[in-house]
Amino acid sequence: MSASKVLIGCWLGLAVLSVATVLLGSSGSTLALAAGVLAVALIKAWLISDGFMELRHAPIQWRLLLATWPVAMAAGILLAMLL
């Protein structure tokens, strides 16, 4: 698959996920909806790092390192919402 097709696919995925985030965010204010929004945000972070930053070709350590920050942020937000 050519690089431009991968980038277009990533862009389309991000657009769909952005719409999903808006729909989930406007549906109400529950912990489950917040967790859904954060899950979509984690998927978007993965798409950006693997697709646009092309880390899918990088060593696994770099990919895990870049995935750790959004996971830590999502966990912190959920923990703050529980308290």
Side-chain angles (χ1 to χ4, degrees):
M1 187 183 273
S2 70
S4 62
K5 287 183 182 180
V6 170
L7 290 177
I8 290 171
C10 289
W11 180 84
L12 287 173
L14 287 171
V16 168
L17 290 170
S18 294
V19 170
T21 302
V22 171
L23 292 175
L24 283 171
S26 64
S27 295
S29 180
T30 65
L31 186 60
L33 287 173
V37 169
L38 290 172
V40 171
L42 289 174
I43 296 168
K44 287 170 68 174
W46 173 76
L47 260 177
I48 290 168
S49 65
D50 267 16
F52 286 111
M53 296 174 70
E54 295 189 11
L55 281 181
R56 64 185 170 278
H57 305 295
I60 191 70
Q61 295 87 357
W62 283 107
R63 296 174 77 187
L64 288 174
L65 183 65
L66 218 61
T68 302
W69 179 249
V71 170
M73 292 302 296
I77 291 169
L78 283 176
L79 182 64
M81 289 182 74
L82 286 172
L83 299 178

